[in-house]
Protein backbone atom coordinates (compact mmCIF):
# COMPACT_ATOMS: atom_id res chain seq x y z
CA UNK A 1 0.00 0.00 0.00
CA UNK A 2 1.23 3.47 -0.88
CA UNK A 3 4.27 2.20 -2.84
CA UNK A 4 5.14 4.20 -5.93
CA UNK A 5 7.15 3.00 -8.92
CA UNK A 6 8.38 4.75 -12.05
CA UNK A 7 6.31 3.98 -15.11
CA UNK A 8 8.84 3.10 -17.87
CA UNK A 9 6.56 4.49 -20.59
CA UNK A 10 5.90 7.93 -19.05
CA UNK A 11 8.92 8.22 -16.75
CA UNK A 12 6.58 9.42 -13.99
CA UNK A 13 5.83 7.79 -10.64
CA UNK A 14 2.54 5.96 -10.21
CA UNK A 15 0.98 3.80 -7.48
CA UNK A 16 2.02 0.14 -7.65
CA UNK A 17 -0.61 -2.40 -8.71
CA UNK A 18 -0.83 -6.14 -8.13
CA UNK A 19 0.55 -6.84 -11.62
CA UNK A 20 3.74 -4.99 -10.68
CA UNK A 21 4.62 -7.58 -8.01
CA UNK A 22 6.15 -11.04 -8.31
CA UNK A 23 6.95 -13.47 -5.51
CA UNK A 24 9.81 -15.79 -6.44
CA UNK A 25 10.66 -19.17 -4.90
CA UNK A 26 13.70 -21.41 -5.16
CA UNK A 27 11.41 -24.41 -5.71
CA UNK A 28 7.71 -25.19 -5.77
CA UNK A 29 7.83 -26.48 -2.17
CA UNK A 30 5.85 -24.21 0.13
CA UNK A 31 4.20 -22.14 -2.61
CA UNK A 32 0.75 -23.27 -1.47
CA UNK A 33 1.20 -21.61 1.94
CA UNK A 34 1.85 -18.25 0.31
CA UNK A 35 -1.05 -18.70 -2.11
CA UNK A 36 -3.39 -19.43 0.79
CA UNK A 37 -2.12 -16.36 2.63
CA UNK A 38 -2.76 -14.12 -0.36
CA UNK A 39 -6.23 -15.62 -0.77
CA UNK A 40 -7.08 -14.90 2.87
CA UNK A 41 -6.34 -11.22 2.30
CA UNK A 42 -8.25 -11.13 -0.99
CA UNK A 43 -5.12 -10.63 -3.12
CA UNK A 44 -5.58 -12.17 -6.60
CA UNK A 45 -2.59 -14.16 -7.85
CA UNK A 46 -1.36 -16.07 -10.88
CA UNK A 47 0.64 -19.29 -10.52
CA UNK A 48 3.25 -19.17 -13.28
CA UNK A 49 5.22 -22.02 -14.75
CA UNK A 50 5.24 -25.44 -13.12
CA UNK A 51 3.40 -24.81 -9.88
CA UNK A 52 0.50 -26.32 -8.14
CA UNK A 53 -1.67 -29.06 -9.59
CA UNK A 54 0.15 -32.16 -8.37
CA UNK A 55 0.07 -30.86 -4.77
CA UNK A 56 -3.66 -30.13 -4.49
CA UNK A 57 -5.63 -32.09 -1.89
CA UNK A 58 -8.73 -32.39 -4.08
CA UNK A 59 -6.67 -34.24 -6.68
CA UNK A 60 -5.06 -36.48 -4.08
CA UNK A 61 -8.55 -37.49 -2.93
CA UNK A 62 -9.52 -38.46 -6.47
CA UNK A 63 -6.21 -40.21 -7.08
CA UNK A 64 -6.60 -42.25 -3.89
CA UNK A 65 -9.92 -43.44 -5.28
CA UNK A 66 -8.12 -44.40 -8.51
CA UNK A 67 -5.48 -46.26 -6.48
CA UNK A 68 -8.18 -48.28 -4.77
CA UNK A 69 -9.85 -49.05 -8.10
CA UNK A 70 -6.50 -50.33 -9.37
CA UNK A 71 -5.61 -52.16 -6.13
CA UNK A 72 -8.26 -52.70 -3.43
CA UNK A 73 -5.53 -54.09 -1.14
CA UNK A 74 -3.80 -50.69 -0.81
CA UNK A 75 -4.49 -49.97 2.88
CA UNK A 76 -2.91 -46.49 2.84
CA UNK A 77 -5.10 -45.38 -0.07
CA UNK A 78 -8.12 -46.97 1.62
CA UNK A 79 -7.51 -45.07 4.86
CA UNK A 80 -7.06 -41.76 3.01
CA UNK A 81 -10.16 -42.33 0.86
CA UNK A 82 -12.38 -43.34 3.80
CA UNK A 83 -11.30 -40.20 5.67
CA UNK A 84 -11.71 -37.93 2.64
CA UNK A 85 -14.99 -36.19 1.66
CA UNK A 86 -15.72 -39.14 -0.65
CA UNK A 87 -16.81 -41.00 2.51
CA UNK A 88 -15.96 -38.77 5.49
CA UNK A 89 -15.58 -41.22 8.38
CA UNK A 90 -14.43 -39.91 11.74
CA UNK A 91 -11.03 -40.89 13.14
CA UNK A 92 -12.70 -42.88 15.93
CA UNK A 93 -14.56 -45.03 13.39
CA UNK A 94 -11.45 -45.52 11.24
CA UNK A 95 -9.50 -46.61 14.30
CA UNK A 96 -12.15 -49.18 15.24
CA UNK A 97 -12.22 -50.52 11.66
CA UNK A 98 -8.45 -50.92 11.70
CA UNK A 99 -8.47 -52.61 15.11
CA UNK A 100 -11.13 -55.09 14.05
CA UNK A 101 -9.55 -55.74 10.64
CA UNK A 102 -6.91 -58.18 11.85
CA UNK A 103 -5.02 -59.26 8.76
CA UNK A 104 -7.81 -58.34 6.41
CA UNK A 105 -7.32 -55.38 4.05
CA UNK A 106 -8.74 -52.09 5.32
CA UNK A 107 -11.32 -51.86 2.56
CA UNK A 108 -12.80 -55.30 3.22
CA UNK A 109 -12.80 -54.59 6.94
CA UNK A 110 -14.80 -51.41 6.26
CA UNK A 111 -17.42 -53.49 4.45
CA UNK A 112 -17.67 -55.90 7.37
CA UNK A 113 -17.86 -53.02 9.84
CA UNK A 114 -20.76 -51.52 7.90
CA UNK A 115 -22.79 -54.70 8.47
CA UNK A 116 -21.99 -55.49 12.11
CA UNK A 117 -19.63 -52.90 13.59
CA UNK A 118 -20.18 -50.85 16.76
CA UNK A 119 -20.39 -47.17 15.86
CA UNK A 120 -19.33 -44.39 18.19
CA UNK A 121 -22.05 -41.87 18.98
CA UNK A 122 -21.07 -38.41 17.79
CA UNK A 123 -21.30 -35.66 20.43
CA UNK A 124 -21.68 -33.07 17.66
CA UNK A 125 -25.07 -34.29 16.46
CA UNK A 126 -27.13 -37.52 16.70
CA UNK A 127 -27.50 -37.66 12.89
CA UNK A 128 -23.75 -38.04 12.30
CA UNK A 129 -23.77 -41.83 12.76
CA UNK A 130 -26.62 -42.58 10.32
CA UNK A 131 -25.04 -40.19 7.81
CA UNK A 132 -21.71 -41.99 8.16
CA UNK A 133 -23.39 -45.34 7.56
CA UNK A 134 -25.07 -44.02 4.41
CA UNK A 135 -21.82 -42.43 3.20
CA UNK A 136 -19.85 -45.64 3.72
CA UNK A 137 -22.49 -47.76 1.98
CA UNK A 138 -22.61 -45.40 -0.99
CA UNK A 139 -18.84 -45.07 -1.11
CA UNK A 140 -18.27 -48.82 -1.19
CA UNK A 141 -20.99 -49.16 -3.83
CA UNK A 142 -19.33 -46.49 -5.97
CA UNK A 143 -15.95 -48.18 -5.61
CA UNK A 144 -17.43 -51.53 -6.66
CA UNK A 145 -19.05 -49.99 -9.75
CA UNK A 146 -15.84 -48.19 -10.73
CA UNK A 147 -13.96 -51.46 -10.41
CA UNK A 148 -16.34 -53.09 -12.91
CA UNK A 149 -16.05 -50.16 -15.33
CA UNK A 150 -12.29 -49.46 -15.12
CA UNK A 151 -11.50 -51.52 -18.23
CA UNK A 152 -14.58 -50.40 -20.15
CA UNK A 153 -14.67 -46.60 -19.95
CA UNK A 154 -11.88 -44.02 -20.43
CA UNK A 155 -10.18 -42.38 -17.45
CA UNK A 156 -11.87 -39.00 -17.84
CA UNK A 157 -15.35 -40.56 -17.82
CA UNK A 158 -14.39 -42.69 -14.81
CA UNK A 159 -13.34 -39.53 -12.95
CA UNK A 160 -16.55 -37.69 -13.91
CA UNK A 161 -18.66 -40.61 -12.74
CA UNK A 162 -16.84 -40.65 -9.40
CA UNK A 163 -17.33 -36.92 -8.88
CA UNK A 164 -21.00 -36.90 -9.89
CA UNK A 165 -22.01 -40.01 -7.95
CA UNK A 166 -20.18 -38.96 -4.78
CA UNK A 167 -21.23 -35.30 -4.74
CA UNK A 168 -17.59 -34.37 -4.08
CA UNK A 169 -17.85 -30.99 -5.88
CA UNK A 170 -20.65 -30.00 -3.48
CA UNK A 171 -18.27 -30.56 -0.57
CA UNK A 172 -15.72 -28.31 -2.29
CA UNK A 173 -18.31 -25.53 -2.31
CA UNK A 174 -18.26 -25.51 1.51
CA UNK A 175 -14.49 -24.93 1.74
CA UNK A 176 -12.52 -21.70 1.58
CA UNK A 177 -11.63 -20.62 -1.95
CA UNK A 178 -13.81 -23.21 -3.73
CA UNK A 179 -13.38 -21.82 -7.26
CA UNK A 180 -9.65 -22.69 -7.65
CA UNK A 181 -10.33 -26.19 -6.30
CA UNK A 182 -13.19 -26.78 -8.73
CA UNK A 183 -11.06 -25.41 -11.57
CA UNK A 184 -8.29 -27.85 -10.63
CA UNK A 185 -10.71 -30.79 -10.81
CA UNK A 186 -11.98 -29.64 -14.20
CA UNK A 187 -8.44 -29.21 -15.49
CA UNK A 188 -7.49 -32.67 -14.23
CA UNK A 189 -10.47 -34.30 -15.96
CA UNK A 190 -9.58 -32.50 -19.21
CA UNK A 191 -5.99 -33.69 -18.84
CA UNK A 192 -7.23 -37.29 -18.49
CA UNK A 193 -8.77 -37.04 -21.95
CA UNK A 194 -5.23 -37.21 -23.35
CA UNK A 195 -4.63 -40.53 -21.55
CA UNK A 196 -7.71 -42.46 -22.65
CA UNK A 197 -5.53 -45.30 -23.94
CA UNK A 198 -4.08 -45.86 -20.45
CA UNK A 199 -5.43 -48.13 -17.78
CA UNK A 200 -5.94 -46.76 -14.28
CA UNK A 201 -2.77 -48.54 -13.14
CA UNK A 202 -0.56 -47.31 -15.99
CA UNK A 203 -1.75 -43.72 -15.52
CA UNK A 204 -0.97 -43.88 -11.79
CA UNK A 205 2.54 -45.07 -12.64
CA UNK A 206 2.95 -42.04 -14.90
CA UNK A 207 1.60 -39.71 -12.22
CA UNK A 208 4.00 -41.05 -9.57
CA UNK A 209 6.86 -40.65 -12.04
CA UNK A 210 5.90 -37.02 -12.67
CA UNK A 211 5.78 -36.34 -8.93
CA UNK A 212 9.14 -38.02 -8.26
CA UNK A 213 10.76 -35.91 -10.98
CA UNK A 214 9.06 -32.75 -9.61
CA UNK A 215 7.62 -31.96 -13.03
CA UNK A 216 4.95 -29.85 -11.35
CA UNK A 217 1.78 -29.82 -13.43
CA UNK A 218 0.47 -26.24 -13.63
CA UNK A 219 -2.53 -25.45 -11.46
CA UNK A 220 -5.68 -24.40 -13.26
CA UNK A 221 -5.49 -20.58 -13.40
CA UNK A 222 -8.43 -18.33 -12.65
CA UNK A 223 -6.36 -15.44 -13.98
CA UNK A 224 -3.71 -14.92 -16.62
CA UNK A 225 -0.50 -12.94 -16.33
CA UNK A 226 -2.21 -10.12 -18.24
CA UNK A 227 -4.66 -9.52 -15.39
CA UNK A 228 -4.02 -7.24 -12.41
CA UNK A 229 -2.70 -10.04 -10.18
CA UNK A 230 0.42 -10.89 -8.21
CA UNK A 231 2.63 -13.44 -9.98
CA UNK A 232 3.96 -16.46 -8.06
CA UNK A 233 6.84 -18.16 -9.83
CA UNK A 234 9.96 -20.22 -9.31
CA UNK A 235 13.24 -18.44 -9.99
CA UNK A 236 13.93 -20.86 -12.84
CA UNK A 237 10.61 -20.06 -14.57
CA UNK A 238 11.23 -16.31 -14.12
CA UNK A 239 14.41 -16.21 -16.21
CA UNK A 240 14.18 -13.49 -18.83
CA UNK A 241 11.19 -11.82 -17.16
CA UNK A 242 11.01 -8.59 -15.16
CA UNK A 243 8.67 -6.91 -12.66
CA UNK A 244 8.90 -3.52 -10.93
CA UNK A 245 8.75 -5.18 -7.49
CA UNK A 246 10.09 -8.65 -6.67
CA UNK A 247 9.72 -10.39 -3.32
CA UNK A 248 12.24 -13.17 -2.63
CA UNK A 249 11.23 -15.73 0.01
CA UNK A 250 12.77 -18.73 1.80
CA UNK A 251 16.32 -17.84 0.77
CA UNK A 252 18.07 -18.10 4.13
CA UNK A 253 18.04 -21.83 4.77
CA UNK A 254 20.77 -23.79 2.97
CA UNK A 255 20.80 -27.42 4.05
CA UNK A 256 23.64 -29.93 3.94
CA UNK A 257 22.48 -32.04 1.00
CA UNK A 258 25.53 -34.31 1.00
CA UNK A 259 24.61 -36.61 3.91
CA UNK A 260 23.58 -40.15 2.89
CA UNK A 261 24.15 -39.48 -0.80
CA UNK A 262 26.34 -41.28 -3.31
CA UNK A 263 28.27 -39.40 -5.98
CA UNK A 264 31.65 -39.37 -7.68
CA UNK A 265 34.09 -36.49 -7.42
CA UNK A 266 35.95 -35.74 -10.64
CA UNK A 267 39.31 -35.84 -8.82
CA UNK A 268 38.96 -37.97 -5.69
CA UNK A 269 36.56 -40.61 -6.97
CA UNK A 270 33.29 -42.04 -5.58
CA UNK A 271 31.93 -41.53 -2.08
CA UNK A 272 28.93 -42.45 0.02
CA UNK A 273 28.70 -39.47 2.38
CA UNK A 274 27.97 -40.32 6.02
CA UNK A 275 26.74 -37.97 8.73
CA UNK A 276 28.97 -34.97 9.33
CA UNK A 277 30.34 -36.24 12.66
CA UNK A 278 31.28 -39.61 11.10
CA UNK A 279 33.30 -38.30 8.13
CA UNK A 280 37.00 -38.96 7.77
CA UNK A 281 39.57 -36.68 6.17
CA UNK A 282 38.83 -37.69 2.57
CA UNK A 283 35.05 -37.62 3.04
CA UNK A 284 35.19 -34.22 4.75
CA UNK A 285 37.25 -32.80 1.89
CA UNK A 286 34.87 -34.18 -0.72
CA UNK A 287 31.82 -32.85 1.10
CA UNK A 288 33.33 -29.39 1.51
CA UNK A 289 33.98 -29.27 -2.21
CA UNK A 290 30.45 -30.45 -2.98
CA UNK A 291 28.95 -27.88 -0.60
CA UNK A 292 31.02 -25.10 -2.19
CA UNK A 293 29.62 -26.05 -5.61
CA UNK A 294 26.06 -26.07 -4.23
CA UNK A 295 26.54 -22.65 -2.61
CA UNK A 296 27.87 -21.29 -5.88
CA UNK A 297 24.76 -22.59 -7.63
CA UNK A 298 22.59 -20.98 -4.92
CA UNK A 299 24.40 -17.68 -5.51
CA UNK A 300 23.79 -17.87 -9.26
CA UNK A 301 20.11 -18.54 -8.60
CA UNK A 302 19.93 -15.61 -6.19
CA UNK A 303 21.53 -13.33 -8.79
CA UNK A 304 18.91 -14.37 -11.36
CA UNK A 305 16.14 -13.76 -8.82
CA UNK A 306 17.43 -10.36 -7.71
CA UNK A 307 17.86 -9.10 -11.28
CA UNK A 308 14.19 -9.83 -12.08
CA UNK A 309 13.33 -6.61 -10.16
CA UNK A 310 13.31 -3.38 -12.13
CA UNK A 311 12.81 -1.04 -9.15
CA UNK A 312 12.62 -2.80 -5.78
Amino acid sequence: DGVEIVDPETGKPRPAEYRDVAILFRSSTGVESYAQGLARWGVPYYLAGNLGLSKQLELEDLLNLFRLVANPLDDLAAFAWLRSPFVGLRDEVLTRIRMEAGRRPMLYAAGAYLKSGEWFEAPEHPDVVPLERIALERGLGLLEDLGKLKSRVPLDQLALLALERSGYPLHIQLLEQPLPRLANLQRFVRMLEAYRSHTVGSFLELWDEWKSEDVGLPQAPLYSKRDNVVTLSTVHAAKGLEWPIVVLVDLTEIRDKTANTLWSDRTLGPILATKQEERGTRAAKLCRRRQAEERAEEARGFYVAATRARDR
Side-chain angles (χ1 to χ4, degrees), residues 239-274:
K239 288 181 179 178
L241 303 177
E242 187 181 74
W243 294 267
I245 300 169
V246 168
V247 181
L248 308 180
V249 297
D250 295 339
L251 294 177
T252 56
E253 184 179 7
I254 300 179
R255 299 177 180 177
D256 181 2
K257 301 176 184 177
T258 56
N260 300 316
T261 57
L262 173 66
W263 81 92
S264 182
D265 184 87
R266 61 182 179 274
T267 302
L268 299 177
I271 180 177
L272 175 60
T274 59

Side-chain angles (χ1 to χ4, degrees), residues 48-212:
N50 296 329
L51 293 175
L53 191 60
S54 62
K55 302 177 185 297
Q56 303 306 310
L57 184 59
E58 56 272 12
L59 294 196
E60 274 303 312
D61 287 342
L62 184 55
L63 286 163
N64 278 325
L65 177 56
F66 273 13
R67 292 183 180 105
L68 278 180
V69 170
N71 178 18
L73 304 181
D74 188 337
D75 278 359
L76 185 59
F79 176 84
W81 177 71
L82 290 168
R83 198 176 189 275
S84 77
F86 275 108
V87 180
L89 297 185
R90 289 168 293 151
D91 290 343
E92 298 94 323
V93 177
L94 289 169
T95 302
R96 179 60 66 88
I97 292 174
R98 181 67 268 174
M99 290 175 63
E100 295 184 2
R103 296 188 175 183
R104 292 177 299 173
M106 183 86 173
L107 198 60
Y108 297 146
Y113 190 82
L114 177 63
K115 296 177 181 178
S116 57
E118 179 185 349
W119 292 70
F120 291 89
E121 293 298 326
E124 299 86 358
H125 198 280
D127 288 340
V128 169
V129 170
L131 287 173
E132 277 185 318
R133 287 179 181 272
I134 294 172
L136 180 55
E137 183 178 9
R138 289 179 177 175
L140 293 174
L142 171 63
L143 190 59
E144 182 180 358
D145 291 344
L146 294 178
K148 295 175 181 177
L149 294 171
K150 65 180 180 181
S151 301
R152 302 180 183 181
V153 302
L155 289 174
D156 57 310
Q157 292 185 18
L158 205 65
L160 281 173
L161 177 63
L163 294 172
E164 291 171 1
R165 281 269 303 272
S166 65
Y168 188 92
L170 296 177
H171 168 82
I172 295 295
Q173 295 278 11
L174 301 176
L175 303 178
E176 292 184 2
Q177 300 297 315
L179 292 181
R181 299 174 189 272
L182 292 171
N184 287 335
L185 287 172
Q186 292 172 356
R187 180 184 177 88
F188 183 67
V189 171
R190 287 198 301 270
M191 186 189 77
L192 290 176
E193 294 177 2
Y195 296 90
R196 287 189 160 194
S197 61
H198 284 67
T199 65
V200 175
S202 64
F203 174 77
L204 289 172
E205 289 177 2
L206 271 178
W207 181 269
D208 291 339
E209 184 179 333
W210 292 335
K211 289 191 70 174
S212 66

